[in-house]
Amino acid sequence: MSHLGRPSGNGFESAFSLTPAAARLAELLGRPVNLPSADCLDDASRAAVASIGSGEVILLENLRFHADEKKGDVDFAARLARYGDVYCQDAFGAAHRADASMVAVPQAMEGRPRTAGRLLEAELRYLSGAIDSPERPFVAVLGGAKISDKLATIRHLAGRVDTLVVGGAMAFTLLRAMGHDTGRSLVETSMIEEARAIIDAVDATATTLLLPVDFVCASAPAAGVETTVSGPDIESGLMGLDIGPASINAFSAAVRAARTVVWNGPMGLFEIPPFDQGTLAITNAMIEATAAGATSVVGGGDTAAAVNDLGLGAGFTHVSTGGGASLRMLEGGPMPGVDALDLA
Ligand code: ADP
Ligand code: MG
């Protein structure tokens, strides 16, 4: 059983059908995969499960066609729980949510084995293992659009990492809190006070905070615009759209020196060249560190996509498959879908 996308929860929608997944699964397994019905709980699905033979595979249709899945509904879960003898959870990307299939189903299966699949095992090994018992130096690189998304992560990593590197647009709110001019760069003005507090909180630990000292700036976030390098202050008409060359040097050196390095959030507006250079430089520095024996972990939807789009994912120890879930792990926050399992 699985999710796919975000259907409305009012029944079957062909755009979110697992039919293509069934076909691909059949290819990978080298045996037929039966998707018995458009509804995971109707008579056809129940009959298929009841008559399944040894070695046969049934894929239920998208659980999210039922609103009860998102609600974590206990009765819905109890009906799914009747289908199986063993619960094996491999949906890391949903494990930070308390959907029915993630929590209520394993709860309803108490007494039967409830275990992690290989992917979940790897995600936990790298995301919690690397953070809880890192080889040092331990460096975390954070970036992305909004500091409000990453405050809990900064709080959790402060005191745990040796160096906390912050790039991306989120750095501007920190720089503004420190009294710098940020021009027209993205700043979350409502978060400036909070940013000041978080800088003080990091300062109170042994963690070194490494912020950009220069930026690639332009008058607009568009391809082909004229760019200039300036910083840490940015003049009023310009916006910082990527970290600049001096920052790239400092950040890359920190990453290359790491024995454990965790990265979440691009360094700039990487979708639009030339503002992808900072993100590319961090990617290359992490790959170098990995080749030299470091453990490197990338988490975050956009960051993982950036690395994979470059075709460079294989150079890392682990590229997480979960955006929100990997961020939750970096925050040290609750993972209901993991807590529901009987892990040693
Ligand atoms: P992730 O999904 O990896 O956690 P986020 O969603 O937090 O990452 O942030 C990714 C977005 O941040 C990207 O769309 C990127 O273009 C944007 N971004 C990063 N730096 C800048 C910047 N300096 N100016 C504008 N956008 C930026
Ligand atoms: Mg994102």
Side-chain angles (χ1 to χ4, degrees):
M1 56 186 184
S2 183
H3 297 162
L4 179 68
R6 294 185 180 168
S8 65
N10 297 316
F12 181 81
E13 289 171 62
S14 59
F16 298 105
S17 171
L18 281 167
T19 302
R24 179 66 180 139
L25 186 57
E27 255 172 50
L28 292 169
L29 293 173
R31 63 178 71 200
V33 170
N34 176 17
L35 200 160
S37 160
D39 177 346
C40 62
L41 284 177
D42 69 1
D43 290 347
S45 283
R46 283 211 309 279
V49 174
S51 65
I52 192 170
S54 177
E56 289 178 7
V57 182
I58 292 171
L59 179 64
L60 299 173
E61 190 50 281
N62 196 342
L63 300 181
R64 282 189 171 166
F65 291 157
H66 288 260
D68 284 341
E69 166 63 0
K70 270 216 91 48
K71 287 185 202 144
D73 186 80
V74 171
D75 295 322
F76 173 72
R79 293 165 72 195
L80 289 170
R82 274 182 223 130
Y83 286 164
D85 301 315
V86 173
Y87 179 86
C88 179
Q89 211 268 87
D90 219 10
F92 174 71
H96 59 311
R97 299 207 169 96
D99 291 5
S101 62
M102 305 304 294
V103 175
V105 171
Q107 280 171 351
M109 290 179 70
E110 179 152 25
R112 286 169 272 177
R114 301 175 296 186
T115 187
R118 299 260 194 245
L119 172 69
L120 183 60
E121 187 187 21
E123 295 277 7
L124 296 177
R125 177 177 336 120
Y126 292 117
L127 283 162
S128 75
I131 292 166
D132 296 339
S133 46
E135 244 193 278
R136 295 185 182 275
F138 180 15
V139 177
V141 181
L142 295 180
K146 291 168 134 190
I147 189 136
S148 51
D149 289 344
K150 315 274 162 113
L151 284 171
T153 306
I154 298 178
R155 284 236 159 74
H156 186 65
L157 294 176
R160 286 188 163 80
V161 299
D162 298 295
T163 306
L164 181 58
V165 175
V166 178
M170 65 181 274
F172 295 118
T173 305
L174 296 171
L175 289 166
R176 181 73 78 80
M178 293 166 72
H180 286 291
D181 293 328
T182 51
R184 288 173 46 236
S185 311
L186 285 181
V187 170
E188 283 179 272
T189 42
S190 64
M191 301 302 297
I192 293 174
E193 254 175 72
E194 186 74 35
R196 185 64 251 175
I198 208 125
I199 292 167
D200 293 340
V202 177
D203 277 349
T205 70
T207 297
T208 302
L209 182 62
L210 199 56
L211 288 170
V213 292
D214 61 349
F215 298 94
V216 179
C217 303
S219 58
V225 290
E226 189 189 325
T227 64
T228 53
V229 172
S230 67
D233 292 291
I234 296 175
E235 68 179 74
S236 57
L238 296 179
M239 45 187 8
L241 295 169
D242 195 12
I243 54 172
S247 307
I248 285 181
N249 279 339
F251 288 10
S252 300
V255 168
R256 278 197 298 264
R259 295 292 301 167
T260 306
V261 52
V262 174
W263 179 21
N264 168 276
M267 294 293 98
L269 184 72
F270 74 95
E271 297 94 335
I272 303 180
F275 308 113
D276 55 350
Q277 292 302 305
T279 300
L280 186 61
I282 294 295
T283 302
N284 287 327
M286 280 186 79
I287 289 172
E288 269 184 62
T290 314
T295 299
S296 62
V297 182
V298 180
D302 291 297
T303 319
V307 164
N308 287 328
D309 288 350
L310 289 165
L312 297 173
F316 295 80
T317 310
H318 184 68
V319 179
S320 178
T321 58
S326 64
L327 201 54
R328 184 72 63 83
M329 299 277 299
L330 296 180
E331 292 168 357
M335 295 290 286
V338 176
D339 296 341
L341 304 176
D342 305 307
L343 301 180

